[in-house]
Amino acid sequence: QEVIELQDEQEVEQAPKQQDIVWFEPKNDLKEVKSNVWEFYKFKGTVDSGPNKAKVFCSLCIAAKKQADVAYSGGTSNLSNHLKNHHPAMTGENTNMQLFLKDNLEI
């Protein structure tokens, strides 16, 4: 659950309500998606403002109810490193596991 610190009444009106938060697929919101790591990440945002592209959220961490946000600045190094460090079974030659999780994970 995301905590938003509010400074004044105007910010109360601007803060997104929990039901307004939606997930965005990177393949729909980026110009080009070349890397396979995007299979495991989504952007979070609101319908009105669109995706917040400063962070991406790992589907595997969300499914495991762990902290899921990873800094994103336009490249995939952080995303690849996150998978290698936190989900080593998803890297390398475990393509059967990748396909199973991809087909069975929904956030």
XYZ file of all heavy atoms in Angstrom:
854
model
N 0.855 -1.176 0.000
C 0.000 0.000 0.000
C 0.894 1.230 0.000
O 1.852 1.324 0.734
C -0.908 -0.001 1.216
C -1.866 1.149 1.214
C -2.870 0.991 2.342
O -2.980 -0.055 2.937
N -3.578 2.036 2.632
N 0.588 2.170 -0.841
C 1.386 3.366 -1.017
C 0.947 4.434 -0.031
O -0.231 4.680 0.160
C 1.191 3.875 -2.450
C 2.158 4.942 -2.845
C 2.046 5.220 -4.335
O 2.268 4.292 -5.121
O 1.740 6.366 -4.674
N 1.913 5.073 0.618
C 1.619 6.131 1.572
C 1.910 7.464 0.909
O 2.980 7.673 0.361
C 2.473 5.989 2.849
C 2.222 7.139 3.795
C 2.198 4.662 3.515
N 0.947 8.368 0.950
C 1.106 9.692 0.356
C 1.026 10.716 1.472
O 0.040 10.779 2.197
C 0.000 9.968 -0.691
C 0.051 8.919 -1.795
C 0.139 11.373 -1.256
C -1.110 8.989 -2.740
N 2.100 11.489 1.628
C 2.079 12.557 2.618
C 1.400 13.769 2.002
O 1.744 14.192 0.903
C 3.503 12.923 3.037
C 4.174 11.833 3.840
C 5.529 12.268 4.334
O 5.708 13.473 4.598
O 6.389 11.397 4.448
N 0.439 14.316 2.702
C -0.319 15.439 2.187
C 0.086 16.709 2.919
O 0.195 16.736 4.138
C -1.821 15.177 2.357
C -2.316 13.912 1.658
C -3.756 13.654 2.016
C -2.153 14.030 0.163
N 0.302 17.772 2.147
C 0.745 19.036 2.715
C -0.414 19.977 3.023
O -0.400 20.680 4.001
C 1.726 19.729 1.749
C 2.935 18.876 1.413
C 3.783 18.563 2.621
O 3.921 19.374 3.519
N 4.332 17.358 2.677
N -1.412 20.023 2.169
C -2.534 20.925 2.390
C -3.795 20.346 1.743
O -3.768 19.281 1.152
C -2.225 22.330 1.858
C -1.872 22.334 0.370
O -2.397 21.503 -0.386
O -1.072 23.190 -0.036
N -4.900 21.064 1.841
C -6.179 20.566 1.318
C -6.153 20.360 -0.184
O -6.800 19.463 -0.706
C -7.299 21.536 1.694
C -7.646 21.506 3.169
C -8.771 22.451 3.498
O -9.585 22.746 2.606
O -8.844 22.897 4.657
N -5.404 21.206 -0.895
C -5.348 21.080 -2.354
C -4.748 19.719 -2.742
O -5.211 19.078 -3.665
C -4.512 22.209 -2.959
C -4.518 22.198 -4.468
C -3.718 23.363 -5.031
O -3.009 24.040 -4.308
N -3.851 23.593 -6.311
N -3.735 19.263 -2.013
C -3.131 17.978 -2.316
C -4.064 16.817 -2.014
O -3.968 15.781 -2.636
C -1.818 17.808 -1.551
C -0.708 18.651 -2.118
C 0.619 18.308 -1.488
O 0.886 17.105 -1.283
O 1.379 19.233 -1.202
N -4.954 16.989 -1.060
C -5.926 15.944 -0.753
C -6.772 15.664 -1.982
O -7.045 14.523 -2.317
C -6.821 16.347 0.449
C -7.947 15.347 0.633
C -5.992 16.470 1.716
N -7.149 16.697 -2.691
C -7.954 16.529 -3.893
C -7.148 15.891 -5.020
O -7.684 15.177 -5.838
C -8.495 17.886 -4.351
C -9.483 18.498 -3.371
C -9.863 19.918 -3.752
O -9.521 20.353 -4.862
O -10.504 20.587 -2.931
N -5.828 16.149 -5.075
C -5.001 15.644 -6.170
C -4.486 14.228 -5.935
O -4.116 13.556 -6.867
C -3.801 16.572 -6.380
C -4.190 17.945 -6.867
C -2.999 18.877 -6.919
O -1.908 18.551 -6.484
N -3.217 20.053 -7.462
N -4.448 13.773 -4.692
C -3.929 12.449 -4.383
C -4.846 11.388 -5.002
O -6.053 11.448 -4.834
C -3.845 12.251 -2.873
N -4.257 10.405 -5.730
C -5.110 9.378 -6.341
C -5.735 8.480 -5.282
O -5.102 8.131 -4.301
C -4.142 8.584 -7.214
C -2.791 8.875 -6.680
C -2.864 10.219 -6.027
N -6.964 8.139 -5.481
C -7.650 7.193 -4.606
C -7.176 5.793 -4.992
O -6.801 5.551 -6.136
C -9.155 7.310 -4.786
C -9.693 8.663 -4.392
C -11.157 8.763 -4.727
C -11.623 10.191 -4.486
N -12.870 10.473 -5.131
N -7.207 4.879 -4.056
C -6.719 3.529 -4.311
C -7.407 2.905 -5.526
O -6.773 2.255 -6.327
C -6.921 2.660 -3.069
C -6.244 1.317 -3.155
C -4.730 1.408 -3.226
O -4.117 2.309 -2.685
N -4.118 0.467 -3.907
N -8.711 3.153 -5.697
C -9.416 2.544 -6.823
C -9.035 3.188 -8.157
O -9.284 2.618 -9.204
C -10.937 2.580 -6.625
C -11.549 3.957 -6.657
C -11.653 4.604 -5.286
O -10.988 4.189 -4.349
N -12.476 5.607 -5.144
N -8.395 4.379 -8.125
C -7.982 5.034 -9.354
C -6.641 4.524 -9.877
O -6.268 4.797 -11.001
C -7.873 6.550 -9.143
C -9.227 7.191 -8.850
O -10.257 6.590 -9.231
O -9.249 8.268 -8.250
N -5.895 3.794 -9.052
C -4.578 3.307 -9.456
C -4.748 2.096 -10.360
O -5.485 1.166 -10.042
C -3.725 2.972 -8.216
C -3.456 4.266 -7.438
C -2.423 2.301 -8.618
C -2.773 4.071 -6.119
N -4.056 2.120 -11.503
C -4.137 1.028 -12.471
C -2.726 0.624 -12.888
O -1.771 1.371 -12.710
C -4.970 1.425 -13.711
C -6.411 1.643 -13.355
C -4.404 2.649 -14.394
N -2.606 -0.571 -13.478
C -1.336 -1.087 -13.972
C -1.270 -0.870 -15.474
O -2.258 -1.050 -16.178
C -1.200 -2.574 -13.649
C -1.141 -2.857 -12.199
C -2.145 -3.339 -11.409
C -0.029 -2.649 -11.330
N -1.715 -3.453 -10.113
C -0.420 -3.033 -10.037
C 1.262 -2.165 -11.526
C 0.438 -2.961 -8.941
C 2.108 -2.094 -10.427
C 1.700 -2.495 -9.163
N -0.082 -0.513 -15.958
C 0.136 -0.279 -17.385
C 1.188 -1.252 -17.899
O 2.222 -1.438 -17.275
C 0.624 1.157 -17.624
C -0.412 2.204 -17.321
C -0.548 2.720 -16.048
C -1.237 2.682 -18.320
C -1.496 3.688 -15.760
C -2.186 3.649 -18.056
C -2.324 4.152 -16.769
N 0.926 -1.844 -19.036
C 1.864 -2.757 -19.677
C 2.955 -1.952 -20.378
O 2.647 -1.051 -21.166
C 1.144 -3.616 -20.721
C 0.130 -4.566 -20.145
C 0.775 -5.730 -19.431
O 1.947 -6.065 -19.731
O 0.113 -6.305 -18.557
N 4.230 -2.267 -20.141
C 5.316 -1.531 -20.802
C 5.229 -1.576 -22.322
O 5.513 -0.592 -22.989
C 6.576 -2.239 -20.306
C 6.175 -2.823 -19.010
C 4.734 -3.206 -19.165
N 4.798 -2.712 -22.891
C 4.746 -2.808 -24.352
C 3.746 -1.824 -24.948
O 3.857 -1.452 -26.100
C 4.440 -4.235 -24.792
C 3.107 -4.744 -24.327
C 2.926 -6.200 -24.687
C 1.678 -6.727 -24.033
N 1.619 -8.153 -23.993
N 2.793 -1.360 -24.146
C 1.818 -0.384 -24.625
C 2.244 1.053 -24.355
O 1.735 1.973 -24.980
C 0.457 -0.620 -23.964
C -0.123 -1.969 -24.306
O 0.168 -2.528 -25.350
N -0.912 -2.505 -23.414
N 3.181 1.244 -23.405
C 3.506 2.593 -22.957
C 4.928 3.039 -23.265
O 5.305 4.151 -22.945
C 3.236 2.717 -21.453
C 1.755 2.597 -21.172
O 1.005 3.460 -21.644
O 1.350 1.622 -20.522
N 5.723 2.191 -23.877
C 7.063 2.569 -24.299
C 7.133 2.484 -25.814
O 6.437 1.684 -26.432
C 8.109 1.638 -23.675
C 8.237 1.686 -22.154
C 9.205 0.596 -21.683
C 8.716 3.040 -21.685
N 8.008 3.297 -26.408
C 8.114 3.292 -27.878
C 8.591 1.940 -28.387
O 8.046 1.399 -29.330
C 9.058 4.401 -28.334
C 8.480 5.772 -28.109
C 9.431 6.843 -28.551
C 8.827 8.197 -28.205
N 9.737 9.290 -28.497
N 9.646 1.408 -27.775
C 10.165 0.106 -28.182
C 10.425 -0.743 -26.950
O 10.972 -0.260 -25.976
C 11.489 0.261 -28.937
C 11.344 0.809 -30.334
C 12.662 0.774 -31.067
O 13.290 -0.308 -31.110
O 13.062 1.814 -31.577
N 10.033 -1.989 -27.014
C 10.319 -2.924 -25.933
C 11.105 -4.065 -26.562
O 10.548 -4.903 -27.249
C 9.023 -3.445 -25.273
C 9.337 -4.496 -24.227
C 8.249 -2.302 -24.647
N 12.436 -4.046 -26.343
C 13.296 -5.068 -26.947
C 13.667 -6.169 -25.969
O 13.843 -7.301 -26.350
C 14.581 -4.421 -27.471
C 14.363 -3.428 -28.583
C 15.688 -2.821 -28.994
C 15.489 -1.703 -29.993
N 16.744 -1.017 -30.298
N 13.807 -5.825 -24.703
C 14.313 -6.763 -23.714
C 13.211 -7.669 -23.166
O 12.082 -7.244 -22.947
C 14.948 -5.993 -22.557
O 15.360 -6.879 -21.550
N 13.593 -8.921 -22.920
C 12.652 -9.887 -22.329
C 12.332 -9.587 -20.876
O 11.348 -10.096 -20.352
C 13.220 -11.304 -22.434
C 13.259 -11.782 -23.858
O 12.515 -11.312 -24.698
N 14.153 -12.708 -24.139
N 13.136 -8.766 -20.196
C 12.864 -8.476 -18.788
C 11.515 -7.790 -18.601
O 10.919 -7.896 -17.529
C 13.974 -7.634 -18.105
C 15.300 -8.346 -18.136
C 14.074 -6.263 -18.688
N 11.019 -7.126 -19.632
C 9.739 -6.425 -19.523
C 8.580 -7.375 -19.283
O 7.503 -6.948 -18.855
C 9.481 -5.562 -20.754
C 10.325 -4.333 -20.735
C 11.355 -4.033 -21.565
C 10.213 -3.233 -19.832
N 11.898 -2.819 -21.227
C 11.218 -2.313 -20.166
C 9.381 -2.952 -18.756
C 11.395 -1.119 -19.469
C 9.552 -1.763 -18.060
C 10.552 -0.866 -18.429
N 8.772 -8.661 -19.528
C 7.719 -9.641 -19.260
C 7.360 -9.676 -17.775
O 6.291 -10.136 -17.403
C 8.157 -11.041 -19.701
C 8.394 -11.169 -21.178
C 7.124 -11.033 -21.998
O 6.038 -11.367 -21.489
O 7.221 -10.582 -23.145
N 8.280 -9.199 -16.918
C 8.103 -9.299 -15.476
C 7.818 -7.966 -14.803
O 7.789 -7.889 -13.580
C 9.347 -9.925 -14.847
C 9.616 -11.303 -15.381
C 10.569 -11.511 -16.350
C 8.880 -12.387 -14.935
C 10.805 -12.780 -16.855
C 9.107 -13.656 -15.428
C 10.069 -13.854 -16.398
N 7.590 -6.918 -15.569
C 7.417 -5.589 -14.981
C 6.192 -4.870 -15.533
O 5.800 -5.092 -16.678
C 8.655 -4.722 -15.242
C 9.870 -5.224 -14.525
C 10.798 -6.022 -15.170
C 10.086 -4.916 -13.184
C 11.913 -6.508 -14.495
C 11.193 -5.387 -12.512
C 12.105 -6.180 -13.181
O 13.199 -6.649 -12.511
N 5.652 -3.979 -14.705
C 4.536 -3.119 -15.105
C 4.740 -1.736 -14.498
O 5.426 -1.584 -13.496
C 3.207 -3.677 -14.605
C 2.829 -5.002 -15.233
C 1.471 -5.462 -14.747
C 1.166 -6.853 -15.215
N 0.527 -6.925 -16.493
N 4.139 -0.751 -15.129
C 4.105 0.601 -14.580
C 2.819 0.755 -13.776
O 1.815 0.111 -14.067
C 4.091 1.661 -15.691
C 5.381 1.768 -16.442
C 5.468 1.334 -17.752
C 6.508 2.328 -15.853
C 6.647 1.448 -18.459
C 7.694 2.439 -16.553
C 7.766 2.000 -17.865
N 2.862 1.641 -12.803
C 1.686 1.945 -11.989
C 1.318 3.405 -12.243
O 2.197 4.243 -12.439
C 2.061 1.741 -10.518
C 0.958 1.761 -9.535
C 1.568 1.438 -8.165
C 0.563 1.382 -7.079
N 1.200 1.095 -5.777
N 0.057 3.730 -12.250
C -0.373 5.107 -12.454
C -1.872 5.227 -12.289
O -2.517 4.366 -11.693
N -2.402 6.299 -12.839
C -3.852 6.498 -12.811
C -4.355 6.663 -14.231
O -3.585 6.972 -15.143
C -4.245 7.745 -11.992
O -3.733 8.898 -12.644
C -3.713 7.665 -10.567
N -5.637 6.472 -14.399
C -6.237 6.623 -15.723
C -6.038 8.052 -16.222
O -5.708 8.273 -17.382
C -7.739 6.257 -15.685
C -8.409 6.569 -17.003
C -7.919 4.800 -15.311
N -6.186 9.022 -15.322
C -6.069 10.425 -15.716
C -4.636 10.840 -16.049
O -4.398 11.506 -17.051
C -6.617 11.344 -14.622
C -8.105 11.173 -14.430
O -8.794 10.756 -15.382
O -8.586 11.442 -13.311
N -3.667 10.444 -15.213
C -2.293 10.911 -15.411
C -1.438 9.946 -16.217
O -0.346 10.290 -16.649
C -1.621 11.177 -14.063
O -1.502 9.973 -13.336
N -1.887 8.716 -16.411
C -1.099 7.735 -17.138
C -0.062 7.085 -16.245
O -0.057 7.273 -15.035
N 0.859 6.318 -16.850
C 1.835 5.591 -16.043
C 2.912 6.501 -15.466
O 3.329 7.460 -16.107
C 2.447 4.604 -17.037
C 2.260 5.243 -18.360
C 0.976 6.028 -18.269
N 3.342 6.194 -14.246
C 4.488 6.870 -13.644
C 5.714 6.081 -14.082
O 5.936 4.961 -13.632
C 4.362 6.867 -12.118
C 5.589 7.428 -11.440
O 6.569 7.796 -12.073
N 5.545 7.482 -10.134
N 6.535 6.668 -14.961
C 7.657 5.940 -15.537
C 8.953 6.093 -14.752
O 10.003 5.692 -15.216
C 7.840 6.357 -16.986
C 6.661 5.933 -17.839
C 6.858 6.255 -19.287
C 5.634 5.828 -20.082
N 5.713 6.262 -21.456
N 8.882 6.639 -13.533
C 10.074 6.730 -12.682
C 10.334 5.411 -11.966
O 11.448 5.149 -11.536
C 9.918 7.854 -11.669
N 9.304 4.581 -11.834
C 9.426 3.283 -11.168
C 8.679 2.244 -11.978
O 7.672 2.549 -12.609
C 8.786 3.307 -9.780
C 9.488 4.085 -8.741
C 8.743 3.917 -7.425
C 9.330 4.776 -6.353
N 8.579 4.639 -5.096
N 9.173 1.032 -11.918
C 8.436 -0.109 -12.451
C 8.226 -1.075 -11.290
O 8.918 -1.001 -10.274
C 9.156 -0.801 -13.625
C 9.213 0.093 -14.832
C 10.541 -1.258 -13.232
N 7.282 -1.976 -11.455
C 6.937 -2.907 -10.390
C 7.082 -4.327 -10.903
O 6.577 -4.667 -11.970
C 5.515 -2.628 -9.895
C 5.427 -1.317 -9.177
C 5.294 -0.131 -9.876
C 5.521 -1.268 -7.806
C 5.247 1.089 -9.224
C 5.469 -0.051 -7.138
C 5.334 1.126 -7.844
N 7.784 -5.132 -10.129
C 8.078 -6.514 -10.481
C 6.870 -7.402 -10.182
O 6.403 -7.461 -9.038
C 9.306 -6.979 -9.691
S 9.676 -8.729 -9.886
N 6.382 -8.096 -11.180
C 5.226 -8.989 -11.018
C 5.529 -10.137 -10.065
O 4.655 -10.584 -9.331
C 4.814 -9.569 -12.367
O 4.478 -8.554 -13.262
N 6.773 -10.607 -10.072
C 7.152 -11.716 -9.195
C 7.134 -11.290 -7.732
O 6.684 -12.031 -6.866
C 8.532 -12.242 -9.579
C 8.643 -12.787 -11.004
C 10.094 -13.028 -11.357
C 7.823 -14.040 -11.156
N 7.633 -10.088 -7.458
C 7.616 -9.573 -6.080
C 6.190 -9.299 -5.621
O 5.838 -9.578 -4.471
C 8.447 -8.292 -5.975
S 10.223 -8.568 -6.044
N 5.369 -8.763 -6.501
C 3.973 -8.491 -6.142
C 3.274 -9.800 -5.791
O 2.559 -9.879 -4.792
C 3.247 -7.752 -7.278
C 3.803 -6.328 -7.404
C 1.744 -7.726 -7.036
C 3.336 -5.594 -8.628
N 3.506 -10.837 -6.591
C 2.880 -12.141 -6.327
C 3.345 -12.713 -4.990
O 2.582 -13.384 -4.300
C 3.193 -13.107 -7.457
N 4.583 -12.417 -4.597
C 5.132 -12.912 -3.332
C 4.883 -11.940 -2.187
O 5.366 -12.151 -1.078
C 6.625 -13.165 -3.480
N 4.155 -10.861 -2.470
C 3.829 -9.829 -1.477
C 5.081 -9.210 -0.848
O 5.172 -9.010 0.355
C 2.893 -10.379 -0.417
C 1.591 -10.896 -1.005
C 0.500 -10.970 0.006
C -0.793 -11.538 -0.518
N -1.252 -11.182 -1.794
N 6.069 -8.924 -1.710
C 7.298 -8.252 -1.285
C 7.312 -6.851 -1.880
O 6.509 -6.535 -2.761
C 8.523 -9.017 -1.794
C 8.660 -10.404 -1.232
C 9.889 -11.067 -1.801
C 10.055 -12.469 -1.280
N 11.232 -13.126 -1.866
N 8.272 -6.035 -1.419
C 8.411 -4.706 -2.025
C 8.757 -4.901 -3.489
O 9.684 -5.623 -3.830
C 9.507 -3.907 -1.336
C 9.632 -2.510 -1.897
C 10.587 -1.648 -1.098
O 11.009 -2.011 -0.019
N 10.926 -0.516 -1.652
N 8.019 -4.252 -4.362
C 8.107 -4.580 -5.778
C 8.633 -3.464 -6.665
O 8.818 -3.670 -7.848
C 6.721 -4.993 -6.270
N 8.886 -2.266 -6.114
C 9.269 -1.169 -6.990
C 10.771 -1.175 -7.274
O 11.581 -1.484 -6.427
C 8.834 0.176 -6.411
C 9.427 0.455 -5.051
O 9.464 -0.474 -4.223
O 9.872 1.585 -4.822
N 11.097 -0.870 -8.529
C 12.478 -0.811 -9.007
C 12.634 0.513 -9.743
O 11.786 0.870 -10.566
C 12.783 -1.993 -9.961
C 14.205 -1.927 -10.474
C 12.506 -3.331 -9.284
N 13.706 1.232 -9.459
C 13.938 2.512 -10.129
C 14.104 2.281 -11.629
O 14.730 1.315 -12.061
C 15.178 3.183 -9.563
N 13.536 3.177 -12.425
C 13.631 3.072 -13.887
C 13.988 4.427 -14.457
O 13.348 5.424 -14.154
C 12.295 2.589 -14.470
C 12.294 2.546 -15.973
C 13.114 1.655 -16.656
C 11.498 3.408 -16.715
C 13.133 1.619 -18.036
C 11.503 3.374 -18.099
C 12.323 2.483 -18.751
O 12.341 2.454 -20.113
N 15.044 4.446 -15.266
C 15.469 5.718 -15.868
C 15.647 5.613 -17.376
O 16.331 6.415 -17.975
C 16.767 6.191 -15.207
O 17.779 5.228 -15.396
N 15.049 4.623 -17.998
C 15.088 4.519 -19.445
C 15.810 3.287 -19.955
O 15.674 2.933 -21.113
N 16.586 2.611 -19.104
C 17.295 1.395 -19.511
C 16.790 0.202 -18.735
O 15.924 0.322 -17.868
N 17.356 -0.957 -19.038
C 16.889 -2.169 -18.373
C 17.921 -2.790 -17.436
O 17.694 -3.874 -16.913
C 16.449 -3.221 -19.417
O 17.543 -3.479 -20.297
C 15.232 -2.748 -20.182
N 19.043 -2.119 -17.181
C 20.076 -2.676 -16.296
C 19.535 -2.923 -14.896
O 19.759 -4.005 -14.326
C 21.288 -1.749 -16.217
O 21.899 -1.651 -17.472
N 18.857 -1.939 -14.317
C 18.282 -2.131 -12.976
C 17.287 -3.286 -12.968
O 17.221 -4.050 -12.007
C 17.552 -0.868 -12.503
C 18.482 0.176 -11.969
O 19.674 -0.049 -11.831
N 17.939 1.345 -11.667
N 16.519 -3.398 -14.030
C 15.503 -4.449 -14.097
C 16.156 -5.825 -14.182
O 15.756 -6.765 -13.487
C 14.580 -4.223 -15.291
C 13.992 -2.823 -15.474
C 13.023 -2.799 -16.638
C 13.346 -2.329 -14.216
N 17.181 -5.945 -15.018
C 17.906 -7.213 -15.142
C 18.598 -7.574 -13.838
O 18.554 -8.729 -13.399
C 18.955 -7.128 -16.253
O 18.348 -6.977 -17.497
N 19.234 -6.586 -13.214
C 19.923 -6.835 -11.948
C 18.942 -7.266 -10.860
O 19.250 -8.145 -10.055
C 20.704 -5.603 -11.499
C 21.924 -5.373 -12.354
O 22.455 -6.298 -12.960
N 22.375 -4.130 -12.418
N 17.768 -6.671 -10.833
C 16.753 -7.065 -9.854
C 16.388 -8.541 -10.046
O 16.324 -9.302 -9.078
C 15.507 -6.187 -9.974
C 14.385 -6.663 -9.106
N 14.294 -6.341 -7.767
C 13.333 -7.475 -9.377
C 13.228 -6.930 -7.252
N 12.618 -7.613 -8.205
N 16.159 -8.943 -11.293
C 15.805 -10.343 -11.548
C 16.936 -11.282 -11.143
O 16.704 -12.312 -10.517
C 15.456 -10.549 -13.025
C 14.126 -9.979 -13.496
C 13.969 -10.192 -14.995
C 12.961 -10.583 -12.749
N 18.180 -10.928 -11.477
C 19.328 -11.780 -11.129
C 19.491 -11.900 -9.618
O 19.794 -12.979 -9.113
C 20.606 -11.213 -11.739
C 20.689 -11.400 -13.232
C 21.931 -10.726 -13.786
C 21.873 -10.703 -15.299
N 22.943 -9.870 -15.873
N 19.310 -10.791 -8.896
C 19.535 -10.790 -7.450
C 18.376 -11.357 -6.642
O 18.586 -11.990 -5.613
C 19.842 -9.368 -6.962
C 21.161 -8.864 -7.488
O 22.090 -9.635 -7.702
N 21.248 -7.573 -7.719
N 17.161 -11.114 -7.083
C 15.986 -11.501 -6.290
C 15.239 -12.709 -6.845
O 14.468 -13.339 -6.126
C 15.028 -10.314 -6.153
C 15.630 -9.166 -5.413
N 15.662 -9.118 -4.045
C 16.260 -8.052 -5.856
C 16.275 -8.001 -3.666
N 16.644 -7.349 -4.747
N 15.438 -13.007 -8.114
C 14.727 -14.121 -8.749
C 15.683 -14.881 -9.671
O 15.457 -14.961 -10.889
C 13.519 -13.606 -9.550
C 12.666 -12.640 -8.811
N 11.845 -13.031 -7.772
C 12.535 -11.300 -8.925
C 11.221 -11.960 -7.296
N 11.637 -10.896 -7.968
N 16.762 -15.449 -9.133
C 17.770 -16.082 -9.986
C 17.230 -17.231 -10.830
O 17.756 -17.505 -11.905
C 18.839 -16.566 -9.003
C 18.191 -16.577 -7.673
C 17.093 -15.557 -7.711
N 16.163 -17.873 -10.382
C 15.586 -18.966 -11.168
C 14.977 -18.460 -12.472
O 14.720 -19.248 -13.381
C 14.534 -19.705 -10.352
N 14.742 -17.158 -12.568
C 14.104 -16.599 -13.762
C 15.128 -16.197 -14.819
O 14.763 -15.806 -15.909
C 13.261 -15.374 -13.390
C 12.170 -15.675 -12.391
S 11.177 -17.121 -12.793
C 10.542 -16.692 -14.360
N 16.393 -16.267 -14.493
C 17.423 -15.888 -15.461
C 18.109 -17.143 -15.985
O 17.987 -18.214 -15.415
C 18.464 -14.952 -14.811
O 19.049 -15.635 -13.703
C 17.822 -13.671 -14.332
N 18.781 -17.006 -17.068
C 19.517 -18.144 -17.628
C 18.637 -19.032 -18.468
O 17.820 -18.569 -19.262
N 18.784 -20.331 -18.268
C 18.164 -21.306 -19.160
C 16.824 -21.849 -18.663
O 16.299 -22.797 -19.212
C 19.124 -22.473 -19.379
C 20.425 -22.032 -20.038
C 21.388 -23.182 -20.218
O 20.957 -24.342 -20.131
O 22.563 -22.913 -20.452
N 16.253 -21.281 -17.635
C 14.993 -21.780 -17.080
C 13.788 -21.265 -17.866
O 12.865 -20.710 -17.310
C 14.847 -21.387 -15.611
C 15.442 -22.403 -14.690
O 15.519 -23.560 -15.034
N 15.878 -21.955 -13.533
N 13.768 -21.481 -19.155
C 12.688 -20.925 -19.961
C 11.344 -21.569 -19.647
O 10.320 -20.917 -19.747
C 12.994 -21.064 -21.467
O 13.275 -22.433 -21.745
C 14.164 -20.197 -21.849
N 11.313 -22.835 -19.260
C 10.038 -23.469 -18.902
C 9.416 -22.784 -17.696
O 8.219 -22.545 -17.653
C 10.229 -24.965 -18.614
C 10.508 -25.754 -19.866
O 10.151 -25.321 -20.958
N 11.154 -26.881 -19.718
N 10.245 -22.444 -16.693
C 9.737 -21.756 -15.518
C 9.255 -20.361 -15.902
O 8.223 -19.906 -15.437
C 10.806 -21.664 -14.436
C 10.294 -21.026 -13.154
S 11.549 -20.937 -11.888
C 11.469 -22.602 -11.282
N 10.001 -19.687 -16.783
C 9.584 -18.362 -17.227
C 8.221 -18.420 -17.896
O 7.347 -17.614 -17.614
C 10.598 -17.774 -18.214
C 11.849 -17.258 -17.562
C 12.798 -16.687 -18.580
O 13.047 -17.278 -19.623
N 13.328 -15.531 -18.275
N 8.039 -19.370 -18.773
C 6.760 -19.492 -19.478
C 5.630 -19.817 -18.507
O 4.548 -19.249 -18.598
C 6.848 -20.559 -20.567
C 7.748 -20.220 -21.745
C 7.891 -21.424 -22.670
C 7.220 -19.019 -22.508
N 5.877 -20.713 -17.559
C 4.850 -21.056 -16.584
C 4.438 -19.831 -15.777
O 3.247 -19.536 -15.636
C 5.348 -22.150 -15.637
C 4.411 -22.394 -14.488
C 3.278 -23.163 -14.664
C 4.651 -21.832 -13.245
C 2.405 -23.380 -13.613
C 3.781 -22.038 -12.190
C 2.659 -22.814 -12.380
N 5.421 -19.109 -15.229
C 5.097 -17.950 -14.403
C 4.449 -16.850 -15.218
O 3.524 -16.188 -14.762
C 6.352 -17.440 -13.694
C 6.847 -18.350 -12.580
C 8.190 -17.880 -12.066
C 5.850 -18.418 -11.448
N 4.929 -16.621 -16.422
C 4.349 -15.587 -17.273
C 2.862 -15.888 -17.536
O 2.022 -15.000 -17.471
C 5.100 -15.512 -18.595
C 4.564 -14.465 -19.536
C 5.408 -14.412 -20.795
C 4.821 -13.454 -21.749
N 3.912 -14.043 -22.699
N 2.539 -17.132 -17.780
C 1.150 -17.508 -18.067
C 0.267 -17.521 -16.828
O -0.941 -17.426 -16.933
C 1.095 -18.902 -18.716
C 1.663 -18.900 -20.127
O 1.745 -17.802 -20.724
O 2.027 -19.972 -20.618
N 0.880 -17.652 -15.652
C 0.092 -17.816 -14.430
C 0.147 -16.651 -13.465
O -0.490 -16.700 -12.429
C 0.527 -19.099 -13.708
C 0.141 -20.310 -14.505
O -1.016 -20.649 -14.616
N 1.115 -20.960 -15.111
N 0.908 -15.619 -13.782
C 0.978 -14.455 -12.890
C 0.119 -13.320 -13.433
O 0.248 -12.946 -14.587
C 2.414 -13.936 -12.774
C 3.309 -14.672 -11.822
C 4.678 -14.029 -11.812
C 2.749 -14.671 -10.423
N -0.719 -12.814 -12.613
C -1.535 -11.662 -12.949
C -1.417 -10.658 -11.824
O -1.480 -11.033 -10.664
C -3.001 -12.037 -13.112
C -3.285 -12.899 -14.309
C -3.186 -12.164 -15.621
O -3.490 -10.958 -15.634
O -2.809 -12.788 -16.620
N -1.237 -9.377 -12.152
C -1.270 -8.353 -11.111
C -2.302 -7.314 -11.506
O -2.732 -7.249 -12.617
C 0.084 -7.696 -10.843
C 0.621 -7.013 -12.085
C 1.054 -8.697 -10.293
C 1.806 -6.132 -11.798
